[in-house]
Amino acid sequence: MHYVQIHKLPGHDDVKLPEKMSAGASGYDLYAAVEEPVVLQPGERKLIPTGFALAMPEGLEAQVRPRSGLALKHGITCLNTPGTIDADYRGEVKVLLINLGQEPFAIARNERIAQMVFQEVPQIRIEQVETLSETVRGAGGFGHTGK
Ligand SMILES: O=c1ccn([C@H]2C[C@H](O)[C@@H](COP(=O)(O)OP(=O)(O)OP(=O)(O)O)O2)c(=O)[nH]1
Ligand SMILES: [Mg+2]
């Protein structure tokens, strides 16, 4: 079990905190903390506030991911998906949405705009070396095994 602290930012008492919509959900849905409805024109991107900040232990991260329903129905997605919330970040969690659809899309306060998935981050030490181990694949990539 990992313990994550969440802090509601001032002026957002009415905004819902991240919420799992089913017991087995991976993601906590994120609610928009916009003061007034925000409209994303086709092709436009905007940073949407959520009204909360987090403190999680080192070794965890949170990923901000799109909601597939918004993507399918409206072309709304996260431009930088998956967004990375670092364990040491104490600022407001924000969601960078982009409208890849054909119609303007309005976001009202307390609408669910994305989801947040917590992940363990392995502790890594990177070591510089002169040669790398050989593999069958070698340097082949980017489709070299065929279509
Ligand atoms: O979708 C996102 C992505 C990032 N962040 C916040 C939390 C994260 O810890 C911080 C930095 O994000 P990132 O490392 O992706 O951005 P950067 O461009 O590398 O900025 P920095 O130099 O601040 O790390 O911004 C969000 O609130 N939402
Ligand atoms: Mg960074």
Side-chain angles (χ1 to χ4, degrees), residues 12 14-18 29-38 47-52 67 70 92-95 97 105-114:
H12 295 302
D14 60 308
V15 179
K16 291 186 191 161
L17 288 175
D29 280 359
L30 298 180
Y31 291 85
V34 289
E35 304 291 341
E36 300 292 332
V38 163
L47 199 53
I48 309 297
T50 62
F52 71 87
R67 293 185 63 213
L70 291 182
E92 182 173 17
V93 171
K94 295 185 179 176
V95 179
L97 289 182
F105 184 77
I107 299 158
R109 196 167 177 86
N110 265 320
E111 273 183 5
R112 289 178 290 143
I113 49 170

Side-chain angles (χ1 to χ4, degrees), residues 126-145:
I126 295 180
E127 177 192 9
Q128 186 179 1
V129 295
E130 294 305 319
T131 55
L132 299 173
S133 61
E134 287 184 12
T135 68
V136 172
R137 172 182 286 274
F142 309 99
H144 93 294
T145 58

Side-chain angles (χ1 to χ4, degrees), residues 52-56 84-94:
F52 71 87
L54 294 175
M56 60 189 129
T84 305
I85 310 297
D86 299 287
D88 56 357
Y89 178 69
R90 296 292 178 271
E92 182 173 17
V93 171
K94 295 185 179 176

